[in-house]
Amino acid sequence: KAGVTQTPRYLIKTRGQQVTLSCSPISGHRSVSWYQQTPGQGLQFLFEYFSETQRNKGNFPGRFSGRQFSNSRSEMNVSTLELGDSALYLCASSLGDRANTGELFFGEGSRLTVL
Amino acid sequence: DQQVKQNSPSLSVQEGRISILNCDYTNSMFDYFLWYKKYPAEGPTFLISISSIKDKNEDGRFTVFLNKSAKHLSLHIVPSQPGDSAVYFCAASHLADSNYQLIWGAGTKLIIKP
């Protein structure tokens, strides 16, 4: 069974640009969550999608947005990039009936560097 | 305001000995706790969980202890092996709220010395 796939794995952008990251969940999983990981900060929750609807949202500015498609694939977008957006962005999928039961399956992440 | 705290950024343990990773939380509504392990260049993987109705859960070499009165949980790894070297994240949730998201600690890097 294929795992969670994130693309691209690495990317470099400059301030002011925008970026789109993609996540393909495990087949059959309907929930996709996005997290930002920075050193010393753990995993900060961005948002969660279930059946194409945003079910929950973390405390990030509106520059961070996402969507989910009918095949459960998800994208997140960050506009007007800032230096502080440099981070590892992790996508996690789960069967998803409930957002909080915790057994999430993570992808390897997309490492974003903003110069 | 960090609701889940892992106060040790790193921990070094001799191979074969016990590794104890600690996690404190502040929100008394949390009723479900998890540990994840993360290797470099990989996503975190689920390790073990515990519900607040229990004070201990064991899975092979891994045991999680929960002390609700102290709002503290710990992960014990016995015996520690080189492959256990990784970053360990503690996470907490409130199961009664189906939309409640996991709250994560900052992680503890465990180094197993041969």
Side-chain angles (χ1 to χ4, degrees):
Chain A
K1 193 173 189 182
V4 177
T5 304
Q6 289 188 247
T7 57
R9 291 291 313 278
Y10 302 92
L11 65 167
I12 299 173
K13 293 284 188 179
T14 57
R15 279 181 298 173
Q17 287 188 310
Q18 67 110 25
V19 66
T20 299
L21 309 177
S22 179
C23 173
S24 293
I26 290 172
S27 177
H29 284 192
R30 294 194 294 164
S31 167
V32 173
S33 303
W34 288 90
Y35 289 87
Q36 181 195 66
Q37 185 191 5
T38 51
Q41 293 296 315
L43 278 70
Q44 305 293 316
F45 172 70
L46 281 153
F47 25 66
E48 187 229 355
Y49 288 87
F50 179 76
S51 294
E52 301 178 67
T53 301
Q54 188 180 85
R55 186 157 66 173
N56 214 334
K57 190 176 189 305
N59 295 324
F60 277 81
R63 301 185 296 108
F64 292 80
S65 62
R67 59 178 175 168
Q68 186 180 36
F69 302 95
S70 57
N71 62 357
S72 293
R73 191 178 71 85
S74 177
E75 288 180 348
M76 68 162 280
N77 184 278
V78 189
S79 62
T80 320
L81 284 166
E82 300 175 359
L83 295 179
D85 297 333
S86 294
L88 179 68
Y89 290 88
L90 290 161
C91 165
S93 78
S94 70
L95 285 170
D97 288 346
R98 297 186 61 171
N100 59 355
T101 51
E103 190 162 344
L104 305 173
F105 296 82
F106 283 86
E108 293 176 322
S110 294
R111 170 80 59 189
L112 170 65
T113 301
V114 182
L115 302 176
Chain B
D1 175 33
Q2 275 196 300
Q3 297 185 68
V4 177
K5 298 178 186 178
Q6 293 178 258
N7 291 318
S8 298
S10 67
L11 175 68
S12 188
V13 174
Q14 202 73 35
E15 181 180 356
R17 306 293 290 269
I18 182 171
S19 293
I20 301 176
L21 296 101
N22 293 305
C23 179
D24 296 296
Y25 62 96
T26 57
N27 190 335
S28 57
M29 297 294 285
F30 289 149
D31 55 11
Y32 188 63
F33 305 88
L34 308 97
W35 286 93
Y36 275 75
K37 179 165 87 169
K38 184 181 185 298
Y39 293 119
E42 295 183 13
T45 54
F46 171 75
L47 193 56
I48 192 168
S49 64
I50 187 166
S51 162
S52 61
I53 61 172
K54 293 185 167 184
D55 53 20
K56 176 183 172 181
N57 189 25
E58 197 171 346
D59 183 1
R61 296 185 298 114
F62 302 91
T63 303
V64 56
F65 294 92
L66 175 61
N67 182 334
K68 289 186 288 293
S69 61
K71 293 192 179 69
H72 176 83
L73 64 155
S74 60
L75 174 68
H76 293 211
I77 306 174
V78 184
S80 300
Q81 299 175 352
D84 297 329
S85 294
V87 176
Y88 289 78
F89 291 97
C90 166
S93 180
H94 176 41
L95 285 182
D97 182 348
S98 61
N99 287 323
Y100 201 93
Q101 292 298 321
L102 294 179
I103 307 298
W104 297 77
T108 296
K109 183 176 183 179
L110 176 64
I111 300 162
I112 305 300
K113 299 179 293 186

